[in-house]
Amino acid sequence: MAALTVRYFAGARAAAGGTRSEDLEAETLEELKQLLTDRHGERLGVVLKAASFLVDGLTCHDQKAPLPADATIDVLPPFAGG
């Protein structure tokens, strides 16, 4: 299981109860999204469905790809006007 640092931005931070970042373990983005929804509730789950994810600064589209150990995952919800 990969140790990860998850950082929340904008609406994702608000949906996570104001949490800026947290350390978790997950193998894939799919697993991470479920873990975060279970931990913070369906409000964050809805945001995660529309969010983009950066894995160590690179966009990741494959929700089932293995995450590297000690990766930083940025959760970026859709931004208005962008």
Side-chain angles (χ1 to χ4, degrees):
M1 191 123 345
L4 310 167
T5 298
V6 179
R7 300 188 306 183
Y8 302 99
F9 294 87
R13 181 178 297 159
T19 301
R20 290 185 179 271
S21 69
E22 61 185 317
D23 296 323
L24 300 165
E25 292 187 358
E27 292 292 327
T28 65
L29 280 178
E30 186 175 69
E31 182 182 332
L32 179 63
K33 287 168 55 175
Q34 185 61 55
L35 178 65
L36 295 174
T37 300
D38 292 347
R39 180 176 281 199
H40 295 286
E42 191 55 35
R43 182 174 173 215
L44 180 58
V46 170
V47 171
L48 295 175
K49 289 177 184 175
S52 296
F53 297 89
L54 300 181
V55 178
D56 289 336
L58 300 173
T59 303
C60 182
H61 298 289
D62 185 352
Q63 304 285 307
K64 295 182 181 188
L67 295 169
D70 301 318
T72 297
I73 312 297
D74 293 329
V75 181
L76 305 171
F79 294 93

